[in-house]
Amino acid sequence: MPQQLSIDMEVLYRQHSRRVLASLVRRLRDFDLAEEAMHEAFAIALVKWPQQGLPDHPTAWLVTTGYRRAIDRLRRQARFDHSPDPLEDGLEAELVDADRAIEDDELRLIFTCCHPELAFASRLALTLREVCSLTTEEIARAFLLKPTAVAQRIVRAKARLRDRQVAFEAPEASELAERLEAVLHVIYLMFTEGYSATSGETATRAELSSEAIRLGRRVCELIADAECLGLLALMLLQESRRGARTAGDGQLVLLVDQDRQQWDLPLIREGQRCLSRALEMGEVGAFTLQAAIASEHARAVSAEQTRWDRIASLYDVLVDVSPTPVVKLNRAVAISMHQGAEAGMMLIDELLESGSLDNYHRLHVARAEMHHRLGQRQLAADAWHRALALASQPRERELLQRRIDEISQG
């Protein structure tokens, strides 16, 4: 009997599932069928790999296995005839250069999900679900929506792509521009979920943020665009802080308390080079401005030496380019650090009156900090408790509870 190998299938699922699904969607042209085929392939691998060992090309093995299972199912349903399927030969040939081919499939799927046939919000939701493997609950939290609304949006988007017979392939060069904005937003949302997970026991999901950076680099290779470079710069500069964002026990560490010696200098330098190239192109968009803000943090050798005047000025420009509630909240925090807590609190109160972020826990975190700096202890405690009630990520909840305990102890 073959020796059983210890294989962590959960880790392998995180590593391979997105690329497997992307390749199956392109071949089967059906999201739901591809998802079922992918899960069947992993179920087979769960039995075979511990006995036989990992194949040389795990991703291609999973794609091949899932594809054959899907073909068998379709034939049983009399949708296919019994003649040999020409796609199977092509799939076997991909084993020679599997990794690059399947990586490209993932990028093709992103561009497909971001097709102009879909509304902008539907493009983001569909891609986050199918490419990033986020749950509807995680996507709902990212958009500050109800999960049922997100689920309906995704179902309608799939149906529209199917009814319109949209090809699952990268667009021609002339069509790239009209899909680019949604693609960049999706890649950044993917990075954000990896950098600051909305659920799960760990505060971050390194495999997601790493994949987002890889896709960002790939898009920069395809398209000479300032915002592509701005997005890549932003992700690199934020990723440079990953090692300092959590303590040895997994607890979150606030930016002000991070050991900056742990920041990744090569990533900072690469991010700043990308930012410089983006600025030289003369088109300053939202991602480039956010990268410039991240660069200011990277330049500061300590939290006390952060140039909040520059950061506040950059937010003044950013709020004109992208006047979203979250950008306005971040601007309020920057102004509170530059001009004082009272100035920031006025802006926070305006956001609260609008009702747009009332259920966003980070608004109440910012409000609590400003109350605390103004010596308003009870108001600070109330805001902290409100933030704790709204937060769902375990590590964030631990951080909030620690802050409440610190304040209550004087």
Side-chain angles (χ1 to χ4, degrees), residues 67 75 80 83-92:
Y67 181 79
R75 284 174 174 160
F80 277 45
S83 59
D85 196 294
L87 288 176
E88 290 203 36
D89 294 333
L91 189 59
E92 292 292 342

Side-chain angles (χ1 to χ4, degrees), residues 9 15 52-53 87 98 144 230 236 240 265 267 331:
M9 290 302 297
Q15 290 174 342
Q52 302 174 1
L87 288 176
L144 306 179
L236 291 167
S240 71
L265 286 178
L267 284 181
R331 176 174 175 264

Side-chain angles (χ1 to χ4, degrees), residues 56-266:
D56 293 336
H57 300 281
T59 309
W61 188 98
L62 289 161
V63 171
T64 303
T65 302
Y67 181 79
R68 286 173 173 165
R69 282 302 178 109
I71 293 298
D72 289 343
R73 177 179 302 175
L74 291 173
R75 284 174 174 160
R76 285 196 300 270
Q77 295 170 357
R79 295 185 188 177
F80 277 45
D81 62 24
H82 290 278
S83 59
D85 196 294
L87 288 176
E88 290 203 36
D89 294 333
L91 189 59
E92 292 292 342
E94 281 189 8
L95 289 169
V96 178
D97 189 22
D99 293 336
R100 186 65 175 182
I102 292 172
E103 283 180 3
D104 286 345
D105 274 341
E106 192 171 10
L107 196 59
R108 288 187 193 101
L109 182 56
I110 290 179
F111 276 105
T112 299
C113 292
C114 293
H115 198 280
E117 283 286 344
L118 302 178
F120 189 81
S122 296
R123 299 181 211 176
L124 299 186
L126 180 62
T127 314
L128 289 172
R129 178 70 187 90
E130 299 302 329
V131 179
C132 308
S133 303
L134 301 190
T135 65
T136 52
E137 289 77 13
E138 290 168 340
I139 299 167
R141 280 193 287 270
F143 287 125
L144 306 179
L145 295 172
K146 293 180 179 179
T148 51
V150 171
Q152 291 169 0
R153 187 175 289 175
I154 292 170
V155 169
R156 288 196 297 267
K158 289 180 181 179
R160 187 166 183 83
L161 290 179
R162 183 183 63 246
D163 294 344
R164 298 281 180 167
Q165 297 185 332
V166 170
F168 288 83
E169 59 190 17
E172 298 295 328
S174 59
E175 300 173 330
L176 286 173
E178 63 180 336
R179 303 195 202 182
L180 184 59
E181 182 183 1
V183 168
L184 296 184
H185 274 83
V186 163
I187 291 173
Y188 186 56
L189 286 170
M190 181 180 186
F191 173 83
T192 301
E193 178 62 25
Y195 186 73
S196 182
T198 56
S199 63
E201 292 302 316
T202 59
T204 64
R205 297 172 62 181
E207 78 282 357
L208 269 184
S209 51
S210 296
E211 186 64 9
I213 289 172
R214 186 192 71 78
L215 290 169
R217 287 193 173 108
R218 189 80 180 95
V219 173
C220 286
E221 291 172 7
L222 293 172
I223 307 170
D225 181 87
E227 272 294 82
C228 292
L229 286 166
L231 170 61
L232 181 56
L234 173 59
M235 294 191 294
L236 291 167
L237 290 165
Q238 290 185 325
E239 183 70 6
S240 71
R241 302 198 293 263
R242 175 182 292 279
R245 290 190 66 240
T246 54
D249 58 1
Q251 291 187 345
L252 278 169
V253 180
L254 293 172
L255 178 62
V256 68
D257 298 321
Q258 288 176 16
D259 177 4
R260 300 186 178 216
Q261 296 299 314
Q262 294 185 43
W263 289 4
D264 191 319
L265 286 178

